């Protein structure tokens, strides 16, 4: 019951167990962020974004093209983080068509059944979480995290991301993960980055995620 | 005898019927108990199996319903409709989809459990789900795929609800699809399980009530409030009587995640289930009845086959006892009784043969001799016995024979001999032979009596006394009247079978036989009817005798006193005794050569008894001896030199 009520209040900040600084280094310091769940298990696919607290500099969208492939009826990568205003292409590497869509507030779009690379990339100009799906493959899922932060990245399998080329100052660090309790919120906290760099460990509470069952491959007989 | 046979028949019948009934009762009880027990066990097993099948059926139905829900949730247009967030659009899409799958209710709820649209309550949205539904959603959240199924009450009706997340592509909402649980479902389940199916729901304050059932209305009403809030232990047979019919029931609580208390009651009618057992029981009754009837008939037949021949044999035995050997016992059976009957008939024939022989023998010889002959093997030779021999002779017969035709004479002779024989046999004597008109009888062979001599003397006396009767019977009188002389002698003889090896007589041979014949002959000489010898007289002390003389008969050198029996001593009158004394005195004087005194007494006696030839005989002798006195060695013995 209590859980239900908490969820009912949802869309709120997930709570963050943040910590902690290390000695600063000269320009070009690094911030190493490690994300784990409440059990201490490292979390891959966690988005980490950082802003210098005292910087007002306008962040330009990335000029480099961001690509989300569809390979073997899965989106690759699973989680992408892009700067606000970035155009993303969805090349289909499979022999079958895909139908990419999102009903998200940040970006509602649909690329009806297509093969190859769609002629027009999709521009994500509103910060937020954009879950992607494929209309004809229920299990295909991917996330695009749209941010206006200057520094960002996605944790690797060890749950770590190292943000480089940071000026030693104080930063606000936001952490998001598809399984974050209150999935549209981010966990945020401040950290001072020394010239020597800094590291931050963030523990987030995972929520239960139900996934549609993946259909068997052609030729794979058997009960789902 | 008949009564006894009837009772034998009854006994046999009672035994057979009693035994059969006992065996049948035991068999019936055992079979019936096993049968009924088997039937009940069968019901219990069947119900347990059915309960498992029922659970599988429900599970299968759940999966099918879930599949339907998944299909709906995967519909892209539906997702788009839901993404609009417009209540009307969503409700309309829900109605459309519930129609597609034949659902009774379809709802869309936020992941947090807020109703967005509800086909049952079209106006409600933006409110938390009802408590039971919220509990179901919570269970879905715990599921790996966010899916759950449960039977729940929504309002007044029960639905089997399935919940699945709506992926857009993330799980964004809950789709709830419900299918009404009602009598139609119960009937469907009855089709697959073959049992009566009732679904009960517990409502606080209202108790357990059926909400879907295949039972007839009366039984269904009877099910209301049959169980208390605390259900009886599940998965074990219950015996319920609903509207007068007995049901073996199986209570299976059905899983409800929303807190709705639901139970499934599977039932089989005991009457229907026991019908084969009852049919078997009726068959048993039939078979036993038939068996009883057959045994009764068989036993009666068997008893008849025993008692009828036995009765026939008994009647045959009675006939044989009466001396009727002519009708054999009619028993046509191959068994032991048939054997007995033919043996009986052979025996009857044997008896008839023997009787005929005995009859014949009895006519040829006396019955006692015949008995003796039949009793022993016939062999020559004999044994020494003391017997008394009686000789009787019909007087006057010779003169009669001259006056009569021979046929009449034979009739007469036969008549006399028949009477004589009768009297002899009455006194226990054995007629040894007939010698013309004479009869020889023996007392003491082949069977002896202590008073054989007395029997013989009494026979003689009776013969003499019967003379008048015999003459009257035979119509003889006057000059044609027959008289009789009897001689009786007692002594040792040889008794046995005499003759040749092929032809023989049972008779007695000895001096006594000859003597009896001689004494009979002397009766004429002494003018008396009966003469007995000394030995006979000594053997009869109770009789009174008159000594007649001392004689020396032909063939015997020893002198012998001869006597005339007068009858029992007590019966002798005073005058007769006086006469007897005078006579004995005269006889003494005569032997003492006192001729004068003898003559005086004899004359006196002759005067008193002019008929008595004896006195005249002795007076003649006295007169002759007076003239011609005897020699000095005279001993008073009269010697007879002829037969």
């Amino acid at each position: 019951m209590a859980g239900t009520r908490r969820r009912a209040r949802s869309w709120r900040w997930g709570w963050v167990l943040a910590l902690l600084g290390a000695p600063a280094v000269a320009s070009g310091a690094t911030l190493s962020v490690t994300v784990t769940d409440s059990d201490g298990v490292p979390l891959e696919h966690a988005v980490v974004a950082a802003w210098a607290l005292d910087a007002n500099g306008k962040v330009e969208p990335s000029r480099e093209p961001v690509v989300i492939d569809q390979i073997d009826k899965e989106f690759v990568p699973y989680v992408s983080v892009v700067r606000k205003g970035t155009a993303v292409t969805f090349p289909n590497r499979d022999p079958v068509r895909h139908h990419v869509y999102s009903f998200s507030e940040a970006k509602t779009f649909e690329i009806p059944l297509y093969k190859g690379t769609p002629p027009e990339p999709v521009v994500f100009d509103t910060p937020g979480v954009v879950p992607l799906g494929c209309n004809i493959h229920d299990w295909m899922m991917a996330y695009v995290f749209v941010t206006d932060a200057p520094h960002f990245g996605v944790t690797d399998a060890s749950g770590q991301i190292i943000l480089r080329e940071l000026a030693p100052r104080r930063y606000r660090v936001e952490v998001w993960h598809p399984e974050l309790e209150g999935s549209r919120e981010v966990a945020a906290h401040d950290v001072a980055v020394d010239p020597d760099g800094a590291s931050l460990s963030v523990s987030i509470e995972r929520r239960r995620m139900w996934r549609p069952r993946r259909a068997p491959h052609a030729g794979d007989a058997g009960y789902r | 005898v008949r009564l006894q046979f009837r009772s034998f028949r009854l006994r046999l019948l009672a035994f057979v019927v009693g035994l059969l009934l006992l065996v049948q009762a035991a068999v019936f009880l055992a079979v019936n108990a096993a049968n009924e027990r088997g039937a009940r066990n069968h019901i219990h097993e069947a119900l347990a199996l059915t309960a498992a099948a029922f659970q599988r059926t429900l599970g299968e139905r759940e999966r099918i319903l879930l599949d339907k829900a998944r299909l709906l949730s995967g519909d892209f247009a539906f997702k788009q409709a839901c993404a609009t967030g417009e209540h009307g659009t969503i409700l309309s899409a829900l109605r459309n989809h519930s129609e597609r799958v034949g659902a009774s209710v379809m709802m869309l709820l936020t992941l947090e459990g807020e109703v967005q649209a509800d086909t049952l309550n079209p106006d409600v949205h933006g409110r938390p789900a009802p408590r039971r539904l919220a509990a179901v959603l919570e269970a879905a959240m715990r599921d790996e795929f966010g899916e759950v199924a449960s039977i729940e009450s929504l309002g007044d009706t029960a639905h089997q609800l399935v919940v699945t997340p709506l992926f857009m592509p993330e799980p964004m909402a809950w789709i709830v699809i419900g299918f009404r649980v009602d009598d139609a479902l119960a009937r469907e389940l009855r089709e697959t399980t073959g049992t009566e199916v009732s679904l009960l729901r517990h409502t606080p304050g209202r108790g357990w009530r059926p909400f879907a059932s295949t039972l007839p209305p009366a039984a269904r009403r009877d099910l209301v409030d049959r169980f208390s809030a605390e259900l009886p232990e599940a998965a074990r047979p219950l015996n319920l009587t609903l509207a007068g019919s007995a049901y073996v029931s199986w209570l299976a609580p059905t899983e409800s995640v929303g807190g709705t208390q639901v139970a499934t009651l599977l039932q089989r009618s005991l009457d229907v289930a026991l019908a084969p057992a009852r049919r078997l029981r009726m068959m048993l009754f039939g078979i036993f009845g038939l068996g009883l009837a057959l045994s009764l008939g068989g036993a009666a037949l068997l008893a008849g086959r025993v008692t009828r021949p036995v009765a026939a044999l008994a009647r045959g035995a009675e006939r044989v006892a009466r001396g009727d050997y002519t009708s054999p016992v009619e028993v046509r059976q191959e068994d032991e009784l048939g054997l007995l009957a033919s043996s009986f008939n052979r025996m009857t024939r044997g008896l008839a043969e023997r009787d005929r022989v005995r009859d014949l023998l009895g006519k040829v010889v006396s019955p006692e001799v015949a008995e003796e002959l039949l009793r022993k093997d016939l062999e020559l030779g004999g044994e020494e016995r003391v017997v008394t021999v009686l000789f009787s002779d019909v007087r006057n017969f010779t003169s009669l024979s001259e006056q009569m035709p021979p046929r009449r004479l034979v009739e007469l002779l036969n008549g006399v001999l028949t009477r004589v024989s009768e009297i002899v046999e009455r006194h226990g004597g054995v007629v040894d032979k007939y010698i013309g008109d004479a009869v020889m009888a023996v007392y003491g062979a082949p069977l002896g009596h202590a008073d054989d001599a007395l029997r013989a003397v009494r026979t003689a006396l009776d013969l003499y006394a019967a003379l008048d009767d015999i003459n009257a019977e035979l119509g003889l009188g006057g000059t044609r009247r027959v008289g009789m002389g009897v001689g009786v002698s007692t002594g040792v003889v040889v008794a046995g079978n005499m003759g040749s090896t092929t032809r023989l007589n049972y008779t007695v041979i000895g001096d006594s036989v000859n003597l009896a014949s001689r004494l009979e002959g002397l009766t004429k000489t002494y003018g008396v009817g009966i003469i007995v010898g000394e030995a006979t007289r000594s053997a009869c002390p109770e009789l009174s005798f008159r000594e007649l003389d001392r004689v020396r008969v032909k063939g015997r050198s020893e002198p012998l006193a001869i006597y005339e029996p007068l009858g029992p001593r007590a019966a002798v009158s005073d005058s007769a005794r006086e006469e007897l004394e005078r006579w004995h005195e005269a006889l003494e004087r005569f032997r003492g050569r006192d001729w004068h005194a003898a003559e005086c007494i004899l004359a006196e006696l002759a005067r008193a008894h002019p008929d008595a030839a004896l006195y005249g005989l002795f007076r003649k002798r006295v007169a002759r001896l007076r003239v011609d006195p005897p020699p000095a060695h005279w001993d008073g013995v009269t010697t007879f030199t002829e037969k």
Side-chain angles (χ1 to χ4, degrees):
Chain A
M1 273 318 209
T4 310
R5 216 168 284 128
R6 189 175 344 129
R7 232 166 259 120
R9 268 189 270 118
S10 196
W11 313 115
R12 66 188 176 90
W13 288 90
W15 53 287
V16 179
L17 291 172
L19 284 184
L20 178 248
V25 201
S27 170
T30 58
L31 173 63
S32 169
V33 180
T34 305
V35 183
T36 59
D37 67 7
S38 51
D39 294 333
V41 178
L43 283 177
E44 197 184 3
H45 302 310
V47 173
V48 175
W51 292 264
L53 280 174
D54 48 358
N56 293 319
K58 198 171 158 74
V59 181
E60 290 298 312
S62 170
R63 290 282 166 244
E64 284 178 32
V66 173
V67 173
I68 298 176
D69 293 309
Q70 290 123 68
I71 301 168
D72 195 18
K73 294 172 216 152
E74 292 289 354
F75 289 109
V76 180
Y78 175 50
V79 173
S80 308
V81 55
V82 300
R83 196 164 288 148
K84 188 177 78 178
T86 304
V88 179
T89 56
F90 295 90
N92 179 358
R93 316 275 184 210
D94 282 339
V96 298
R97 289 170 190 269
H98 289 295
H99 180 157
V100 181
Y101 73 91
S102 177
F103 295 123
S104 63
E105 283 174 39
K107 182 72 184 177
T108 297
F109 73 97
E110 186 178 346
I111 309 171
L113 291 168
Y114 68 95
K115 277 190 172 177
T117 306
E120 297 292 325
V122 178
V123 178
F124 294 84
D125 40 17
T126 310
V129 180
V130 181
L132 302 176
C134 173
N135 183 21
I136 62 171
H137 301 109
D138 288 349
W139 63 91
M140 286 176 66
M141 274 200 74
Y143 292 89
V144 178
F145 189 89
V146 184
T147 180
D148 47 11
H151 312 283
F152 50 77
V154 179
T155 56
D156 58 15
S158 61
Q160 192 185 40
I161 176 67
I162 298 169
L163 301 179
R164 302 179 191 278
E165 307 292 321
L166 265 61
R169 53 179 64 166
R170 287 183 66 78
Y171 288 84
R172 163 151 296 173
V173 177
E174 287 184 352
V175 177
W176 177 88
H177 188 270
E179 295 174 25
L180 179 67
E181 180 86 6
S183 61
R184 294 298 174 269
E185 299 301 325
V186 293
H189 64 91
D190 298 346
V191 63
V193 178
D194 293 342
D196 295 340
S199 62
L200 176 68
S201 283
V202 179
S203 169
I204 60 171
E205 186 144 333
R206 296 171 75 173
R207 60 169 172 154
R208 184 180 254 287
M209 278 288 282
W210 312 286
R211 307 299 294 270
R213 297 167 173 88
R214 180 174 171 143
H217 288 284
D220 281 5
Y223 199 71
R224 184 181 57 194
Chain B
V1 172
R2 270 187 74 79
L3 198 78
Q4 223 169 338
F5 282 142
R6 200 174 300 140
S7 86
F8 168 73
R9 184 175 299 190
L10 282 178
R11 268 205 306 277
L12 188 66
L13 282 184
F15 175 74
V16 168
V17 170
L19 196 65
L20 195 72
L21 279 180
L22 204 69
V23 169
Q24 286 186 341
V27 167
F28 177 78
L29 286 179
V31 168
N32 195 46
N35 197 9
E36 188 126 0
R37 200 165 49 240
R40 280 183 187 276
N41 282 346
H42 176 72
I43 298 177
H44 295 167
E45 278 168 23
L47 272 179
L49 284 175
T50 303
F54 182 81
Q55 292 298 344
R56 274 199 305 279
T57 304
L58 275 188
E60 189 61 31
R61 189 179 144 90
E62 263 179 25
R63 266 199 299 282
I64 291 166
L65 297 185
L66 267 172
D67 285 345
K68 289 180 175 181
R70 263 183 228 120
L71 272 177
L72 289 188
S73 73
D75 185 272
F76 188 65
F78 181 71
K79 289 179 188 175
Q80 283 176 313
C82 291
T84 63
E86 296 169 19
H87 174 248
T89 304
I90 295 172
L91 184 65
S92 183
L94 288 179
R95 278 181 173 153
N96 177 61
H97 279 61
S98 66
E99 200 58 40
R100 279 191 193 169
V101 296
S104 54
V105 59
M106 193 160 170
M107 300 168 80
L108 186 73
L109 297 103
T110 65
L111 288 183
E112 287 71 31
E114 198 173 87
V115 176
Q116 285 186 288
D118 178 357
T119 57
L120 279 185
N121 303 289
D123 302 332
V124 175
H125 62 99
R127 283 203 219 141
R131 187 171 53 84
R132 292 196 192 294
L133 196 53
V136 175
L137 293 180
E138 204 173 329
M141 281 179 212
R142 287 192 296 272
D143 181 70
E144 182 187 358
F145 296 104
E147 292 171 346
V148 78
S150 177
I151 292 175
E152 302 294 342
S153 305
L154 291 181
D156 281 341
T157 44
H159 302 263
Q160 189 168 18
L161 297 179
V162 290
V163 175
T164 183
L166 178 64
F167 294 101
M168 297 195 334
E170 276 201 306
M172 292 298 288
W174 297 112
I175 297 177
V176 178
I177 307 180
F179 298 83
R180 185 169 289 131
V181 177
D182 54 10
D183 292 353
L185 172 64
R187 281 196 294 275
E188 200 180 307
L189 292 171
R190 182 174 62 184
E191 289 300 308
T192 53
T193 58
T195 58
E196 302 289 343
V197 176
S198 299
L199 290 152
L200 300 125
R201 167 173 55 169
H202 183 257
T203 317
R206 290 183 66 189
W208 284 96
R209 280 162 186 269
F211 61 92
S213 177
T214 56
L215 288 175
R220 183 180 178 146
R221 275 194 301 279
D222 221 5
L223 206 52
V224 172
D225 292 332
R226 180 56 73 99
F227 300 111
S228 58
E230 193 83 8
L231 280 180
E233 194 181 343
R236 89 164 15 174
L238 296 169
N239 288 317
L240 285 183
T241 303
L242 298 175
S245 297
Y247 291 92
V248 181
S249 309
W250 192 277
L251 196 62
T254 304
E255 208 173 315
S256 159
V257 295
T260 305
Q261 283 179 277
V262 177
T264 309
L265 192 64
L266 302 176
Q267 298 182 307
R268 279 185 185 219
S269 164
L270 195 61
D271 289 340
V272 173
L274 286 183
R278 297 210 167 114
R279 268 202 303 283
L280 182 64
R281 189 163 66 192
M282 288 316 293
M283 253 166 65
L284 275 182
F285 271 133
I287 288 167
F288 286 175
L290 196 69
L292 196 63
L294 285 177
S295 320
L296 266 174
L301 209 68
L302 198 68
R305 279 181 77 83
V306 172
T307 52
R308 237 179 296 113
V310 169
L313 281 165
R315 282 195 300 275
E318 273 170 26
R319 278 201 302 277
V320 169
R322 280 198 309 271
D324 173 9
Y325 300 108
T326 53
S327 17
V329 174
E330 298 269 342
V331 175
R332 305 204 183 288
Q333 278 176 212
E334 294 293 315
D335 55 12
E336 292 86 342
L337 284 165
L339 219 61
L340 176 62
S342 50
S343 300
F344 182 85
N345 285 336
R346 269 203 302 283
M347 180 193 83
T348 306
R349 278 198 297 279
L351 280 178
E353 191 71 28
R354 221 182 117 179
D355 238 37
R356 216 165 34 245
V357 168
R358 186 183 305 234
D359 244 28
L360 206 61
L361 210 59
K363 282 168 188 158
V364 176
V365 300
S366 82
E368 287 78 5
V369 173
E371 195 66 44
E372 176 73 10
L373 292 178
L374 289 169
R375 194 160 55 80
K376 292 179 181 168
D377 284 340
L378 280 180
E379 51 187 28
L380 288 171
E383 50 181 343
E384 281 196 349
R385 290 183 83 103
V386 173
V387 302
T388 302
V389 179
L390 177 147
F391 257 90
S392 81
D393 189 36
V394 180
R395 296 275 162 74
N396 216 15
F397 195 73
T398 317
S399 62
L400 273 179
S401 65
E402 287 163 1
Q403 301 165 25
M404 279 183 185
R407 190 181 299 272
R408 169 82 180 112
L409 195 68
V410 169
E411 266 179 32
L412 196 70
L413 182 61
N414 284 346
V416 172
L417 293 182
T418 300
R419 284 304 306 268
V420 170
S421 301
E422 273 173 16
I423 293 169
V424 167
E425 279 163 15
R426 193 163 73 226
H427 285 282
V430 172
V431 175
D432 183 76
K433 58 176 70 85
Y434 301 109
I435 309 160
D437 57 357
V439 174
M440 175 181 161
V442 179
Y443 297 77
L447 296 171
H449 303 96
D451 54 350
D452 279 328
L454 184 58
R455 285 164 183 265
V457 177
R458 281 192 169 145
T459 305
L461 287 170
D462 281 1
L463 282 175
Y464 223 76
L467 260 181
D468 287 346
D469 285 350
I470 291 173
N471 278 310
E473 255 174 50
L474 298 174
L476 298 173
T479 54
R480 295 164 63 137
R481 192 183 142 87
V482 294
M484 196 174 279
V486 181
V488 177
S489 167
T490 302
V492 176
V493 295
V494 175
N497 295 313
M498 324 282 168
S500 69
T501 50
T502 53
R503 178 129 183 191
L504 43 79
N505 279 337
Y506 182 88
T507 189
V508 293
I509 300 281
D511 190 35
S512 197
V513 180
N514 301 330
L515 184 58
S517 173
R518 297 276 183 279
L519 293 179
E520 183 266 314
L522 287 182
T523 53
K524 278 177 262 177
T525 308
Y526 288 94
V528 296
I530 306 162
I531 295 179
V532 307
E534 267 180 34
T536 307
R537 185 217 174 224
S538 313
C540 301
E542 54 272 75
L543 296 181
S544 179
F545 291 89
R546 183 207 307 269
E547 184 175 0
L548 294 177
D549 196 1
R550 267 205 287 267
V551 296
R552 191 173 285 117
V553 296
K554 183 175 162 56
R556 279 177 71 107
S557 52
E558 286 297 305
L560 174 78
I562 59 173
Y563 301 86
E564 180 196 10
L566 299 176
R569 282 185 189 282
V572 177
S573 63
D574 288 347
S575 58
R577 194 177 301 118
E578 202 174 315
E579 185 196 345
L580 195 59
E581 281 169 10
R582 295 293 292 162
W583 157 250
H584 283 155
E585 193 185 339
L587 198 59
E588 208 166 310
R589 300 283 180 193
F590 172 76
R591 285 174 185 154
R593 300 181 183 225
D594 186 354
W595 314 118
H596 177 72
E599 171 55 26
C600 284
I601 299 169
L602 286 170
E604 179 192 326
L605 288 169
R607 267 197 308 279
H609 305 281
D611 294 341
L614 181 66
Y615 304 142
L617 174 69
F618 270 85
R619 287 182 77 186
K620 277 183 201 163
R621 282 189 187 173
V622 169
R624 195 174 67 232
L625 288 172
R626 269 181 161 174
V627 176
D628 184 10
H633 58 85
W634 185 72
D635 52 4
V637 173
T638 312
T639 300
F640 293 91
T641 55
E642 53 189 40
K643 277 190 184 173

